């Protein structure tokens, strides 16, 4: 009986984390769409990168929700968030392909929030999958977590 409850709890935590990761990805995609529509479309170098982020955010979000049997979408979400945050930090410090930001718009704030969510919740989801958090049901019972 305890085993069944533990599996249900882990599944609920996993789904909650998946939804949070997917929302982070979709939020980042939306921010990049808004910024592309505002000024990015006029930039030859970063404009197309904004569109890549839009598409990649949506595709990875769908994969995180739909492809639950593998860790790759979760890792892709973490990589997406980390790479996008790194590009933004570069734009704040040294500039990124000629774009320099100052962290003063709502889009910049929401971009950081959503991408940090991808990294944090994605890492927790990976840690849960591999039994780093709370032990592994798979190891204790021979069942699939």
């Amino acid at each position: 009986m305890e085993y069944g409850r533990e599996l249900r709890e882990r599944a609920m935590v996993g789904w909650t984390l998946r939804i949070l990761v997917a929302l982070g990805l979709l939020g980042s995609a939306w921010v990049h769409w808004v910024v592309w529509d505002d000024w990015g479309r006029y930039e030859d170098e970063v404009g197309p990168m904004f569109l890549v982020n839009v598409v990649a955010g949506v595709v990875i979000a769908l994969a995180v929700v739909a492809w639950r049997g593998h860790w790759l979408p979760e890792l892709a979400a973490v990589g997406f968030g980390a790479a996008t945050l790194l590009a933004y930090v570069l734009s704040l410090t040294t500039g990124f392909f000629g774009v320099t930001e100052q962290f003063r718009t709502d889009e910049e704030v929401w971009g950081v929030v959503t991408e940090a969510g991808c990294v944090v919740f994605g890492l927790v989801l990976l840690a849960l999958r591999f039994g780093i958090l709370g032990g592994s049901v798979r190891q204790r019972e021979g069942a699939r977590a």
Side-chain angles (χ1 to χ4, degrees), residues 29-50:
W30 178 254
V31 165
H32 283 87
W33 174 259
V34 169
V35 173
W36 178 84
D37 189 46
D38 184 34
W39 60 265
R41 69 170 120 192
Y42 305 110
E43 298 289 326
D44 291 337
E45 292 165 340
V46 295
M49 291 182 206
F50 279 97

Side-chain angles (χ1 to χ4, degrees), residues 8-58:
R8 285 190 304 277
E9 288 173 359
R10 286 177 64 86
M12 181 61 79
V13 169
W15 268 111
T16 301
L17 288 168
R18 284 183 188 292
I19 290 168
L20 290 170
V21 170
L23 288 174
L25 290 160
L26 293 173
S28 179
W30 178 254
V31 165
H32 283 87
W33 174 259
V34 169
V35 173
W36 178 84
D37 189 46
D38 184 34
W39 60 265
R41 69 170 120 192
Y42 305 110
E43 298 289 326
D44 291 337
E45 292 165 340
V46 295
M49 291 182 206
F50 279 97
L51 288 180
V52 167
N53 269 29
V54 171
V55 174
V58 171

Side-chain angles (χ1 to χ4, degrees), residues 38-108:
D38 184 34
W39 60 265
R41 69 170 120 192
Y42 305 110
E43 298 289 326
D44 291 337
E45 292 165 340
V46 295
M49 291 182 206
F50 279 97
L51 288 180
V52 167
N53 269 29
V54 171
V55 174
V58 171
V59 169
I60 297 169
L62 290 172
V64 164
V65 172
W67 193 16
R68 298 181 318 268
H70 204 277
W71 50 266
L72 190 58
E74 299 155 13
L75 183 63
V78 172
F80 173 90
T84 307
L85 276 174
L86 176 63
Y88 181 66
V89 168
L90 287 173
S91 76
L92 286 172
T93 55
T94 63
F96 186 72
F97 290 103
V99 173
T100 307
E101 296 291 345
Q102 296 179 356
F103 197 70
R104 57 188 163 114
T105 67
D106 291 342
E107 290 83 5
E108 290 171 286

